[in-house]
Amino acid sequence: MVSPEFLITSLVVVLMPGTGVLFTVATGLFTGKRASIFAAAGCTLGIVPSMLASVFGLAAIFHTSVLVYQTVKYFGVVYLLYLAWSMWRSSSPLVVEKKQTETRLINIVMKGFLINILNPKLSIFFLAFLPQFVSHQAQQPVLNMLVLGATFMLMTLGVFILYGLAASHFSGLIVRSEKVSIVIQKVFAGSFAALGLKLALTERI
């Protein structure tokens, strides 16, 4: 049901830097190891609605309705620009917090969730991606697609956690230099803004 070709293709897709990777790495650098795991979980949870929508055919609405697609897309653009503005405004010498409150960790999960759920191209991606790995002779194609989607999510979670943990190991080096920590925060802010503008200029598939 889960072919080696699917696993290899999925791994390549998951490893490609995007908003989820950027958010998880930024969280690992600026907030710490534990927070980066919650960021990875939030980004992975944000895949669930798109995956389910694709499996049950709802993503076709994005493909046919300009209004629905544009509405979701621009909500995503605004949110990415908001993240960029927040990070730019709060740029300061980096201090990695040893303890995170439950509320703060939940907020990190919600941010990661919103980053992915407000990207309409994710639903269209799954609509085009998953069926390619389901046999035309499959007796339960929906179940097969759900298994493939779940596998993709687990790979996403694992890779994102590794990205976040790797980033958290470098946070100590960044903390030692106030100038470097401020510059890096501004670079991440600029990256979120760039991804937001890229999404705004992206047309439907």
Side-chain angles (χ1 to χ4, degrees):
M1 189 177 290
V2 180
S3 66
E5 291 81 5
F6 174 80
L7 294 175
I8 293 171
T9 305
S10 297
L11 182 60
V12 171
V13 171
V14 172
L15 286 172
M16 291 173 61
T19 50
V21 170
L22 186 65
F23 177 69
T24 304
V25 169
T27 303
L29 281 174
F30 305 144
T31 316
K33 185 184 299 183
R34 187 182 178 206
S36 71
I37 296 175
F38 279 80
C43 291
T44 304
L45 287 174
I47 296 175
V48 176
S50 297
M51 187 264 290
L52 293 178
S54 301
V55 169
F56 294 106
L58 300 178
I61 296 175
F62 288 114
H63 215 25
T64 57
S65 174
V66 175
L67 179 60
V68 173
Y69 181 88
Q70 295 292 345
T71 299
V72 176
K73 182 178 81 169
Y74 283 112
F75 268 116
V77 170
V78 170
Y79 185 66
L80 286 173
L81 293 178
Y82 165 74
L83 288 179
W85 174 75
S86 298
M87 187 171 287
W88 185 278
R89 186 188 62 172
S90 62
S91 294
S92 59
L94 181 61
V95 177
V96 178
E97 299 178 14
K98 297 295 183 182
K99 297 180 180 178
Q100 289 94 31
T101 64
E102 209 170 297
T103 301
R104 183 175 177 83
L105 292 174
I106 291 174
N107 287 339
I108 289 172
V109 171
M110 285 304 301
K111 284 183 178 180
F113 178 78
L114 288 173
I115 281 175
N116 274 342
I117 200 176
L118 291 176
N119 184 358
K121 292 189 73 65
L122 195 57
S123 293
I124 296 174
F125 164 76
F126 277 117
L127 187 65
F129 179 66
L130 293 182
Q132 296 182 40
F133 298 94
V134 177
S135 171
H136 294 295
Q137 300 176 342
Q139 295 181 349
Q140 297 179 307
V142 172
L143 178 60
N144 284 12
M145 290 179 70
L146 287 173
V147 171
L148 293 175
T151 303
F152 184 89
M153 286 176 54
L154 287 174
M155 292 180 71
T156 300
L157 179 62
V159 170
F160 278 29
I161 287 177
L162 290 177
Y163 271 128
L165 294 179
S168 68
H169 283 298
F170 290 99
S171 61
L173 298 174
I174 297 171
V175 168
R176 296 173 191 170
S177 173
E178 294 184 2
K179 290 183 179 180
V180 171
S181 66
I182 292 174
V183 168
I184 287 181
Q185 289 176 78
K186 290 187 180 296
V187 168
F188 273 96
S191 298
F192 277 118
L195 288 170
L197 293 175
K198 180 181 178 182
L199 179 60
L201 297 173
T202 300
E203 300 296 329
R204 292 181 299 163
I205 297 174

